[in-house]
Each structure stands twice: as structure tokens, then as C-alpha cells.
Amino acid sequence: MELTKISKKLSYLLRHCTQPLYIDLNGGWADVGEIIRVLQEKYHDTNMAVLEQIVAQDVKGRYSFNSDHSKIRANQGHSIPGVKIDMEQPQPPELLYHGTATRFLSAILQEGLKPMTRQYVHISPDVETAIEVGKRHGKPVVLVIRAQELAADGFPLYRSSNGVWLTEYVPARYIRVREPSEE
């Protein structure tokens, strides 16, 4: 079974595919039967058990089922315009972290963090996660976000069901580069 490939296709369908549109914009939910049907076009053995295995084993907690498992969604990371996921808006910790590549650092320190092709900027709750995210884009660098200050100044921060923090924009004044010597 090609679980990794199926998971990548599932991510595309639930986060980025706009034609045809499988996603209910209100909540980001997709019908499980329809998603299985589409996945079976390439991965013939895909069924409910395979989807449940992908959701259960995804270490990043990318996906969720509704209560009766008739619908599935990606918890964040949508590039599909208009998808609105209900998320918590708790008091953030004092600091959060964003992993990126060093080649983007200059622009970020001038312009702040922007969502680019996604709806939100993704912010990690810990340094280790931010480092892993940064490695996906090149030589990693971790940015420290003054999260409580950001929220107090009117920039809402949301927490996804898998613990990732999201916001629409982080102005440069709330960002500093984490020094390698920091623990």
C-alpha cells in the first residue's frame, strides 16, 4: 500500500484542489465517499480503513474526521480561497516560532511574515518544530514571534486542532532571529 503517496494526494484534494471543488467552504469538510472515489482513480485499494490509518498515523495531525466519519478535512494549510475552519483563539504564549530558510530572511525582516499562497502564516509552538519546517525550504533559520504582543495589538492568532498557530500577517516589528546559542 502506498500510504505516503495516498496521503500526499489527500492533502492536495483537501487543501489545494479547486477544480473540481470537493470542499465545503464552511468548515473545510469533504464527503469521505467522494474523496475515496477520487483517490481510487489512481490508488485502487483506497477505502475507509486506509483513510482512517492515514489520519491516525499522521504525526503532524493534518487531518480530522467529523463525529460520524462521513466527512474529512485538512486542519490547516488551505490555498483554496474562502475555506473557513473554526479554530480556537486562546491566549497565545509569550513567544512562538516560525521556521524558514535563510534565503527568505531579508524579505521577512523588512516586510514581515505573509501567508503567500496559503490563507494563514503558520507558526510553531516550539523551536524543534520550527527547525524541521525551516529544513523543508533550505538552510533553516528560526524566527521568534512575540505572540502575546502581536495578539494584544490586534493581530488575531488562532490555534488549529493539531497545535499549529495561525495568523493572517506578522509585521516585522514582532519578529527577531533566534540565535543558535539560545536554548
Side-chain angles (χ1 to χ4, degrees):
M1 181 72 51
E2 303 177 78
L3 285 181
T4 301
K5 290 181 179 178
I6 295 170
S7 179
K8 287 181 179 183
K9 179 70 173 183
L10 178 63
S11 178
Y12 171 76
L13 293 173
L14 297 178
R15 297 164 80 185
H16 309 297
C17 182
T18 57
Q19 192 64 14
L21 187 60
Y22 304 106
I23 309 302
D24 176 359
L25 298 180
N26 187 17
W29 296 105
D31 180 77
V32 166
E34 178 69 8
I35 292 297
I36 289 173
R37 184 191 66 70
V38 172
L39 289 171
Q40 286 175 339
E41 292 173 5
K42 184 167 185 178
Y43 306 103
H44 306 294
D45 295 334
T46 305
N47 57 29
M48 185 62 176
V50 169
L51 278 188
E52 288 176 334
Q53 185 178 359
I54 288 170
V55 171
Q57 293 179 354
D58 187 81
V59 294
K60 293 184 180 178
R62 288 181 185 97
Y63 314 109
S64 299
F65 285 111
N66 67 349
S67 60
D68 68 359
H69 285 213
S70 65
K71 302 216 179 275
I72 187 170
R73 73 173 176 195
N75 291 319
Q76 86 269 334
H78 298 86
S79 63
I80 301 168
V83 172
K84 295 293 177 197
I85 306 287
D86 289 330
M87 292 178 283
E88 296 180 291
Q89 196 174 355
Q91 176 68 24
E94 181 182 354
L95 302 174
L96 289 168
Y97 307 92
H98 181 81
T100 190
T102 55
R103 70 180 184 272
F104 301 128
L105 192 54
S106 178
I108 291 170
L109 293 176
Q110 286 182 349
E111 302 170 21
L113 285 167
K114 301 174 185 178
M116 309 310 284
T117 61
R118 297 192 178 176
Q119 291 181 333
Y120 296 101
V121 173
H122 292 204
I123 305 172
S124 302
D126 56 74
V127 172
E128 295 77 21
T129 304
I131 290 170
E132 290 305 310
V133 170
K135 285 180 181 177
R136 292 194 317 238
H137 303 286
K139 183 179 178 191
V141 62
V142 174
L143 304 176
V144 179
I145 311 298
R146 292 191 319 277
Q148 282 184 357
E149 226 179 291
L150 180 72
D153 288 350
F155 296 91
L157 280 160
Y158 306 97
R159 188 172 58 204
S160 177
S161 62
N162 64 352
V164 174
W165 289 82
L166 307 165
T167 189
E168 292 179 3
Y169 174 61
V170 180
R173 67 183 176 271
Y174 299 98
I175 301 169
R176 72 172 171 80
V177 178
R178 181 179 179 271
E179 297 300 324
S181 61
E182 289 184 62
E183 293 184 34

